Amino acid sequence: MIVSKMAQNLIGSEIIRVAGEVNAMIANGEQICNLTIGDFDPSIYPIPEKLKTEITKAYEQGHTNYPPANGVAVLRKAVAAFTQKHLGLSYPENDILVAGGSRPLIYATYLAIVDPGDKVIFPTPSWNNNHYCHLSGATPVMVETQSENNFMPTAADVKPHLKGATLLALCSPLNPTGTMFSKKDLEEICDLVLEENKSRSENEKPIYIMYDQIYWMLTFGAAEHFDPVSLRPDLREYVVYIDGTSKAFAATGVRVGYAFGPANVMDKMKSILGHIGAWAPKAEQMATAAFLNQQEEVDSFLEEFKPKVKESLEVLYKGFKDLKAEGHAVDAIVPMGAIYLSVKMDLAGKTTPEGKTLQTSQDITIYILHEAKLAVVPFSAFGSGSDVTWFRLSVGGASLEAIQSSLTTLRAALQKLK
């Protein structure tokens, strides 16, 4: 059957493909340390008890009808207060849009801003921007980043592509790397966007920034989160923020995301999502509003949750650094935020015990999965080339014990290579 050209050429998620293979192995009884999906195992990382109680209460109170298309007022008000208190960003509740997680909000941002053929700039690796370009008909401009700068884009990376572009898609802490913008790098990028917009005529569409900060509460050590409008208030009319509760509260399945930004853009995004019907369930919205308004409950959860995530990331990081010290061709970048660790396994050109030469990051992924029983995602799933031998390891779905054990099996698998 003939379908649309967009559908014909749409590429499925490589993360889901890898996860499907992992799940099949698990179903066959194999013990796999699954570090693929950016999700949480509820038996390891349950949602806040107070949030769960509020969800149950909301259903008991009968909040099972349609919510408003832009989100229930009490939640938008709670988000406005929470954002003002913690980030110093002041947005009225009418400029806040709630949806079923951050994905519909990102999609709506693309559709509200980008016309078919418009240039969209985004770094590689980064999550799903290549697919959103395809869905919206945008022309992708992929900016390759470097490990030396923690895979975060710099002003020098971005500057050559700004002329004529409509959207610059940024994320910090970054999925898939778990790294973050420095204040200096983000300031310099902001200044370039301001300069570019000043050069455009009134009849020209400006260049907007979509700033995905869904992981901003999950930062570790001395790492500090920065955002464009706080650094450069003149950018307020050009920045759409993507945010939500799914990551910081281990509430991926609760599906409460929110965006905020300039009123004219948010109004169009509201209309788009109203036609799609991508709202979060009303009971979950009511519960999230109640939870965000209880600061002691929020703080109590994060005080227990963040150190647990950090410990898993640091155990993995130390494990790879130890393997590097032993002479293995691996490395890792110190975890800064989110639930991800960037790991290098520079195994291309090495030969397996069966005589197969590993050539691509996909070859390495498969070898590590079958020999080390360790499931990881190559950066090629995030727009990088298959010759890039860096990988995302996500700790939300594995216990600390499983992670520690995986380092032992990984060492054995590396020792088998020639």
Side-chain angles (χ1 to χ4, degrees):
M1 298 293 289
I2 298 175
V3 296
S4 71
K5 291 181 180 178
M6 184 280 289
Q8 286 179 29
N9 297 313
L10 184 63
I11 301 170
S13 168
E14 187 174 345
I15 306 170
I16 293 175
R17 182 191 63 76
V18 173
E21 186 172 350
V22 172
N23 289 334
M25 293 174 69
I26 293 172
N28 287 329
E30 297 193 53
Q31 296 294 315
I32 306 294
C33 181
N34 188 0
L35 304 183
T36 59
I37 302 293
D39 198 0
F40 297 93
D41 182 336
S43 68
I44 304 170
Y45 297 104
I47 67 172
E49 191 63 33
K50 187 63 177 178
L51 177 58
K52 184 165 65 174
T53 300
E54 293 291 349
I55 291 171
T56 302
K57 184 193 300 184
Y59 278 106
E60 290 173 344
Q61 292 173 345
H63 292 292
T64 55
N65 57 325
Y66 285 138
N70 59 338
V72 298
V74 290
L75 176 55
R76 289 183 286 111
K77 186 176 293 187
V79 168
F82 192 82
T83 303
Q84 169 70 57
K85 176 180 176 63
H86 293 281
L87 294 173
L89 293 169
S90 180
Y91 284 80
E93 61 187 85
N94 286 340
D95 292 347
I96 293 169
L97 176 60
V98 178
S102 63
R103 294 175 193 237
L105 297 164
I106 295 172
Y107 185 40
T109 304
Y110 271 80
L111 293 187
I113 291 173
V114 177
D115 288 308
D118 280 0
K119 286 169 54 179
V120 174
I121 306 166
F122 58 91
T124 60
S126 67
W127 180 81
N128 255 27
N129 283 297
N130 53 336
H131 299 302
Y132 288 114
C133 282
H134 180 79
L135 290 169
S136 62
T139 299
V141 180
M142 296 186 284
V143 176
E144 186 176 353
T145 56
Q146 306 299 320
S147 59
E148 292 77 14
N149 200 53
N150 299 324
F151 292 107
M152 299 302 295
T154 65
D157 295 329
V158 169
K159 186 174 183 178
H161 310 289
L162 287 179
K163 192 62 64 179
T166 297
L167 183 64
L168 172 60
L170 302 174
C171 177
S172 183
L174 178 62
N175 181 3
T177 63
T179 57
M180 300 169 62
F181 274 118
S182 69
K183 183 180 180 182
K184 176 177 178 292
D185 282 347
L186 186 55
E187 282 178 331
E188 290 176 352
I189 291 174
C190 289
D191 288 340
L192 286 178
V193 172
L194 284 170
E195 181 183 349
E196 174 60 27
N197 279 336
K198 286 178 182 177
S199 74
R200 298 190 183 188
S201 70
E202 289 186 6
N203 296 324
E204 280 186 279
K205 192 189 299 182
I207 180 170
Y208 291 91
I209 296 174
M210 182 181 72
Y211 200 69
D212 182 349
Q213 57 176 18
I214 193 78
Y215 296 97
W216 70 266
M217 283 183 267
L218 294 180
T219 60
F220 311 112
E224 185 177 353
H225 175 71
F226 299 100
D227 74 89
V229 175
S230 294
L231 295 177
R232 295 292 185 268
D234 287 348
L235 276 174
R236 185 183 176 91
E237 294 305 309
Y238 308 113
V239 179
V240 175
Y241 286 90
I242 306 296
D243 209 333
T245 63
S246 63
K247 303 299 184 178
F249 304 128
T252 50
V254 176
R255 307 311 300 146
V256 177
Y258 45 86
F260 50 93
N264 61 317
V265 177
M266 302 312 298
D267 285 346
K268 297 305 180 185
M269 289 171 61
K270 173 185 173 181
S271 297
I272 291 166
L273 291 185
H275 288 299
I276 295 173
W279 46 73
K282 186 178 180 183
E284 275 74 1
Q285 292 195 40
M286 299 297 293
T288 301
F291 179 68
L292 290 180
N293 283 327
Q294 299 179 59
Q295 190 60 51
E296 288 186 9
E297 294 288 345
V298 172
D299 292 343
S300 176
F301 176 79
L302 291 175
E303 285 169 7
E304 181 177 343
F305 176 61
K306 285 180 61 173
K308 195 172 178 181
V309 173
K310 181 183 177 184
E311 184 179 14
S312 287
L313 287 168
E314 289 183 341
V315 165
L316 264 181
Y317 173 73
K318 182 179 184 303
F320 272 86
K321 285 296 189 180
D322 288 346
L323 289 170
K324 179 182 179 181
E326 293 169 15
H328 296 291
V330 301
D331 205 352
I333 297 175
V334 64
M336 301 174 191
I339 58 173
Y340 309 116
L341 184 72
S342 288
V343 163
K344 186 177 186 180
M345 291 186 279
D346 197 11
L347 308 180
K350 293 188 178 292
T351 305
T352 70
E354 294 74 29
K356 174 181 171 58
T357 301
L358 304 177
Q359 296 179 331
T360 66
S361 60
Q362 288 84 352
D363 292 340
I364 298 168
T365 301
I366 293 169
Y367 176 76
I368 294 300
L369 175 59
H370 289 275
E371 287 295 327
K373 308 302 180 187
L374 176 62
V376 301
V377 182
F379 276 12
S380 60
F382 306 98
S384 298
S386 61
D387 59 332
V388 175
T389 56
W390 283 85
F391 301 80
R392 184 187 85 170
L393 278 60
S394 176
V395 300
S399 67
L400 182 59
E401 293 73 23
I403 289 171
Q404 290 169 328
S405 177
S406 74
L407 291 166
T408 301
T409 56
L410 177 60
R411 176 180 285 104
L414 294 174
Q415 290 171 342
K416 292 179 183 179
L417 293 171
K418 298 179 182 178

